[in-house]
mmCIF file with all atom_site columns, all heavy atoms in Angstrom:
data_model
loop_
_atom_site.group_PDB
_atom_site.id
_atom_site.type_symbol
_atom_site.label_atom_id
_atom_site.label_alt_id
_atom_site.label_comp_id
_atom_site.label_asym_id
_atom_site.label_entity_id
_atom_site.label_seq_id
_atom_site.pdbx_PDB_ins_code
_atom_site.Cartn_x
_atom_site.Cartn_y
_atom_site.Cartn_z
_atom_site.occupancy
_atom_site.B_iso_or_equiv
_atom_site.pdbx_formal_charge
_atom_site.auth_seq_id
_atom_site.auth_comp_id
_atom_site.auth_asym_id
_atom_site.auth_atom_id
_atom_site.pdbx_PDB_model_num
ATOM 1   N N   . LEU A 1 67 ? -16.799 32.239 -14.945 1.00 0.00 ? 708 LEU A N   1
ATOM 2   C CA  . LEU A 1 67 ? -15.676 31.711 -15.719 1.00 0.00 ? 708 LEU A CA  1
ATOM 3   C C   . LEU A 1 67 ? -15.871 31.952 -17.209 1.00 0.00 ? 708 LEU A C   1
ATOM 4   O O   . LEU A 1 67 ? -14.951 32.381 -17.905 1.00 0.00 ? 708 LEU A O   1
ATOM 5   C CB  . LEU A 1 67 ? -15.501 30.207 -15.460 1.00 0.00 ? 708 LEU A CB  1
ATOM 6   C CG  . LEU A 1 67 ? -14.896 29.803 -14.131 1.00 0.00 ? 708 LEU A CG  1
ATOM 7   C CD1 . LEU A 1 67 ? -14.883 28.285 -14.005 1.00 0.00 ? 708 LEU A CD1 1
ATOM 8   C CD2 . LEU A 1 67 ? -13.495 30.345 -13.993 1.00 0.00 ? 708 LEU A CD2 1
ATOM 9   N N   . VAL A 1 68 ? -17.086 31.687 -17.688 1.00 0.00 ? 709 VAL A N   1
ATOM 10  C CA  . VAL A 1 68 ? -17.364 31.893 -19.106 1.00 0.00 ? 709 VAL A CA  1
ATOM 11  C C   . VAL A 1 68 ? -17.287 33.373 -19.443 1.00 0.00 ? 709 VAL A C   1
ATOM 12  O O   . VAL A 1 68 ? -16.740 33.765 -20.473 1.00 0.00 ? 709 VAL A O   1
ATOM 13  C CB  . VAL A 1 68 ? -18.743 31.298 -19.474 1.00 0.00 ? 709 VAL A CB  1
ATOM 14  C CG1 . VAL A 1 68 ? -19.155 31.695 -20.868 1.00 0.00 ? 709 VAL A CG1 1
ATOM 15  C CG2 . VAL A 1 68 ? -18.718 29.784 -19.337 1.00 0.00 ? 709 VAL A CG2 1
ATOM 16  N N   . LYS A 1 69 ? -17.824 34.216 -18.562 1.00 0.00 ? 710 LYS A N   1
ATOM 17  C CA  . LYS A 1 69 ? -17.825 35.653 -18.809 1.00 0.00 ? 710 LYS A CA  1
ATOM 18  C C   . LYS A 1 69 ? -16.400 36.197 -18.864 1.00 0.00 ? 710 LYS A C   1
ATOM 19  O O   . LYS A 1 69 ? -16.084 37.061 -19.681 1.00 0.00 ? 710 LYS A O   1
ATOM 20  C CB  . LYS A 1 69 ? -18.617 36.373 -17.716 1.00 0.00 ? 710 LYS A CB  1
ATOM 21  C CG  . LYS A 1 69 ? -18.753 37.855 -17.944 1.00 0.00 ? 710 LYS A CG  1
ATOM 22  C CD  . LYS A 1 69 ? -19.598 38.493 -16.871 1.00 0.00 ? 710 LYS A CD  1
ATOM 23  C CE  . LYS A 1 69 ? -19.702 39.994 -17.102 1.00 0.00 ? 710 LYS A CE  1
ATOM 24  N NZ  . LYS A 1 69 ? -20.459 40.633 -16.028 1.00 0.00 ? 710 LYS A NZ  1
ATOM 25  N N   . ASN A 1 70 ? -15.539 35.705 -18.010 1.00 0.00 ? 711 ASN A N   1
ATOM 26  C CA  . ASN A 1 70 ? -14.154 36.172 -17.973 1.00 0.00 ? 711 ASN A CA  1
ATOM 27  C C   . ASN A 1 70 ? -13.252 35.393 -18.911 1.00 0.00 ? 711 ASN A C   1
ATOM 28  O O   . ASN A 1 70 ? -12.040 35.505 -18.842 1.00 0.00 ? 711 ASN A O   1
ATOM 29  C CB  . ASN A 1 70 ? -13.611 36.089 -16.539 1.00 0.00 ? 711 ASN A CB  1
ATOM 30  C CG  . ASN A 1 70 ? -14.311 37.065 -15.632 1.00 0.00 ? 711 ASN A CG  1
ATOM 31  O OD1 . ASN A 1 70 ? -14.653 38.159 -16.053 1.00 0.00 ? 711 ASN A OD1 1
ATOM 32  N ND2 . ASN A 1 70 ? -14.534 36.669 -14.401 1.00 0.00 ? 711 ASN A ND2 1
ATOM 33  N N   . ARG A 1 71 ? -13.840 34.570 -19.727 1.00 0.00 ? 712 ARG A N   1
ATOM 34  C CA  . ARG A 1 71 ? -13.130 33.787 -20.742 1.00 0.00 ? 712 ARG A CA  1
ATOM 35  C C   . ARG A 1 71 ? -12.083 32.836 -20.156 1.00 0.00 ? 712 ARG A C   1
ATOM 36  O O   . ARG A 1 71 ? -11.074 32.547 -20.783 1.00 0.00 ? 712 ARG A O   1
ATOM 37  C CB  . ARG A 1 71 ? -12.499 34.682 -21.781 1.00 0.00 ? 712 ARG A CB  1
ATOM 38  C CG  . ARG A 1 71 ? -13.493 35.555 -22.481 1.00 0.00 ? 712 ARG A CG  1
ATOM 39  C CD  . ARG A 1 71 ? -12.906 36.102 -23.750 1.00 0.00 ? 712 ARG A CD  1
ATOM 40  N NE  . ARG A 1 71 ? -13.752 37.133 -24.308 1.00 0.00 ? 712 ARG A NE  1
ATOM 41  C CZ  . ARG A 1 71 ? -14.864 36.928 -24.981 1.00 0.00 ? 712 ARG A CZ  1
ATOM 42  N NH1 . ARG A 1 71 ? -15.282 35.711 -25.179 1.00 0.00 ? 712 ARG A NH1 1
ATOM 43  N NH2 . ARG A 1 71 ? -15.565 37.936 -25.460 1.00 0.00 ? 712 ARG A NH2 1
ATOM 44  N N   . ALA A 1 72 ? -12.312 32.398 -18.944 1.00 0.00 ? 713 ALA A N   1
ATOM 45  C CA  . ALA A 1 72 ? -11.409 31.408 -18.361 1.00 0.00 ? 713 ALA A CA  1
ATOM 46  C C   . ALA A 1 72 ? -11.667 30.045 -18.984 1.00 0.00 ? 713 ALA A C   1
ATOM 47  O O   . ALA A 1 72 ? -10.788 29.214 -19.068 1.00 0.00 ? 713 ALA A O   1
ATOM 48  C CB  . ALA A 1 72 ? -11.591 31.337 -16.847 1.00 0.00 ? 713 ALA A CB  1
ATOM 49  N N   . VAL A 1 73 ? -12.892 29.835 -19.424 1.00 0.00 ? 714 VAL A N   1
ATOM 50  C CA  . VAL A 1 73 ? -13.270 28.594 -20.078 1.00 0.00 ? 714 VAL A CA  1
ATOM 51  C C   . VAL A 1 73 ? -13.731 28.942 -21.483 1.00 0.00 ? 714 VAL A C   1
ATOM 52  O O   . VAL A 1 73 ? -14.617 29.769 -21.663 1.00 0.00 ? 714 VAL A O   1
ATOM 53  C CB  . VAL A 1 73 ? -14.418 27.889 -19.311 1.00 0.00 ? 714 VAL A CB  1
ATOM 54  C CG1 . VAL A 1 73 ? -14.861 26.652 -20.057 1.00 0.00 ? 714 VAL A CG1 1
ATOM 55  C CG2 . VAL A 1 73 ? -13.982 27.559 -17.904 1.00 0.00 ? 714 VAL A CG2 1
ATOM 56  N N   . LYS A 1 74 ? -13.120 28.319 -22.471 1.00 0.00 ? 715 LYS A N   1
ATOM 57  C CA  . LYS A 1 74 ? -13.508 28.582 -23.849 1.00 0.00 ? 715 LYS A CA  1
ATOM 58  C C   . LYS A 1 74 ? -14.429 27.475 -24.311 1.00 0.00 ? 715 LYS A C   1
ATOM 59  O O   . LYS A 1 74 ? -14.162 26.300 -24.096 1.00 0.00 ? 715 LYS A O   1
ATOM 60  C CB  . LYS A 1 74 ? -12.290 28.644 -24.755 1.00 0.00 ? 715 LYS A CB  1
ATOM 61  C CG  . LYS A 1 74 ? -11.448 29.860 -24.531 1.00 0.00 ? 715 LYS A CG  1
ATOM 62  C CD  . LYS A 1 74 ? -10.363 29.950 -25.565 1.00 0.00 ? 715 LYS A CD  1
ATOM 63  C CE  . LYS A 1 74 ? -9.565  31.218 -25.374 1.00 0.00 ? 715 LYS A CE  1
ATOM 64  N NZ  . LYS A 1 74 ? -8.568  31.375 -26.413 1.00 0.00 ? 715 LYS A NZ  1
ATOM 65  N N   . LYS A 1 75 ? -15.512 27.893 -24.929 1.00 0.00 ? 716 LYS A N   1
ATOM 66  C CA  . LYS A 1 75 ? -16.428 26.907 -25.493 1.00 0.00 ? 716 LYS A CA  1
ATOM 67  C C   . LYS A 1 75 ? -15.937 26.521 -26.879 1.00 0.00 ? 716 LYS A C   1
ATOM 68  O O   . LYS A 1 75 ? -15.434 27.353 -27.628 1.00 0.00 ? 716 LYS A O   1
ATOM 69  C CB  . LYS A 1 75 ? -17.842 27.481 -25.597 1.00 0.00 ? 716 LYS A CB  1
ATOM 70  C CG  . LYS A 1 75 ? -18.514 27.662 -24.264 1.00 0.00 ? 716 LYS A CG  1
ATOM 71  C CD  . LYS A 1 75 ? -19.936 28.105 -24.469 1.00 0.00 ? 716 LYS A CD  1
ATOM 72  C CE  . LYS A 1 75 ? -20.653 28.236 -23.140 1.00 0.00 ? 716 LYS A CE  1
ATOM 73  N NZ  . LYS A 1 75 ? -22.021 28.676 -23.305 1.00 0.00 ? 716 LYS A NZ  1
ATOM 74  N N   . VAL A 1 76 ? -16.104 25.271 -27.207 1.00 0.00 ? 717 VAL A N   1
ATOM 75  C CA  . VAL A 1 76 ? -15.717 24.804 -28.522 1.00 0.00 ? 717 VAL A CA  1
ATOM 76  C C   . VAL A 1 76 ? -16.860 25.117 -29.474 1.00 0.00 ? 717 VAL A C   1
ATOM 77  O O   . VAL A 1 76 ? -17.995 24.706 -29.259 1.00 0.00 ? 717 VAL A O   1
ATOM 78  C CB  . VAL A 1 76 ? -15.435 23.280 -28.500 1.00 0.00 ? 717 VAL A CB  1
ATOM 79  C CG1 . VAL A 1 76 ? -15.116 22.778 -29.888 1.00 0.00 ? 717 VAL A CG1 1
ATOM 80  C CG2 . VAL A 1 76 ? -14.317 22.978 -27.534 1.00 0.00 ? 717 VAL A CG2 1
ATOM 81  N N   . ARG A 1 77 ? -16.517 25.868 -30.496 1.00 0.00 ? 718 ARG A N   1
ATOM 82  C CA  . ARG A 1 77 ? -17.534 26.236 -31.486 1.00 0.00 ? 718 ARG A CA  1
ATOM 83  C C   . ARG A 1 77 ? -17.259 25.459 -32.758 1.00 0.00 ? 718 ARG A C   1
ATOM 84  O O   . ARG A 1 77 ? -16.142 25.452 -33.260 1.00 0.00 ? 718 ARG A O   1
ATOM 85  C CB  . ARG A 1 77 ? -17.497 27.737 -31.746 1.00 0.00 ? 718 ARG A CB  1
ATOM 86  C CG  . ARG A 1 77 ? -17.885 28.531 -30.521 1.00 0.00 ? 718 ARG A CG  1
ATOM 87  C CD  . ARG A 1 77 ? -17.923 30.018 -30.859 1.00 0.00 ? 718 ARG A CD  1
ATOM 88  N NE  . ARG A 1 77 ? -18.284 30.784 -29.694 1.00 0.00 ? 718 ARG A NE  1
ATOM 89  C CZ  . ARG A 1 77 ? -17.429 31.519 -28.993 1.00 0.00 ? 718 ARG A CZ  1
ATOM 90  N NH1 . ARG A 1 77 ? -16.177 31.583 -29.350 1.00 0.00 ? 718 ARG A NH1 1
ATOM 91  N NH2 . ARG A 1 77 ? -17.833 32.187 -27.947 1.00 0.00 ? 718 ARG A NH2 1
ATOM 92  N N   . LYS A 1 78 ? -18.283 24.859 -33.288 1.00 0.00 ? 719 LYS A N   1
ATOM 93  C CA  . LYS A 1 78 ? -18.131 24.078 -34.501 1.00 0.00 ? 719 LYS A CA  1
ATOM 94  C C   . LYS A 1 78 ? -18.675 24.867 -35.677 1.00 0.00 ? 719 LYS A C   1
ATOM 95  O O   . LYS A 1 78 ? -19.617 25.631 -35.551 1.00 0.00 ? 719 LYS A O   1
ATOM 96  C CB  . LYS A 1 78 ? -18.865 22.745 -34.378 1.00 0.00 ? 719 LYS A CB  1
ATOM 97  C CG  . LYS A 1 78 ? -18.252 21.835 -33.360 1.00 0.00 ? 719 LYS A CG  1
ATOM 98  C CD  . LYS A 1 78 ? -18.909 20.501 -33.360 1.00 0.00 ? 719 LYS A CD  1
ATOM 99  C CE  . LYS A 1 78 ? -18.240 19.596 -32.347 1.00 0.00 ? 719 LYS A CE  1
ATOM 100 N NZ  . LYS A 1 78 ? -18.805 18.270 -32.351 1.00 0.00 ? 719 LYS A NZ  1
#
Side-chain angles (χ1 to χ4, degrees):
L708 285 176
V709 171
K710 184 177 179 183
N711 293 324
R712 302 197 191 282
V714 176
K715 290 187 177 184
K716 289 185 178 179
V717 176
R718 295 184 180 106
K719 293 186 178 183

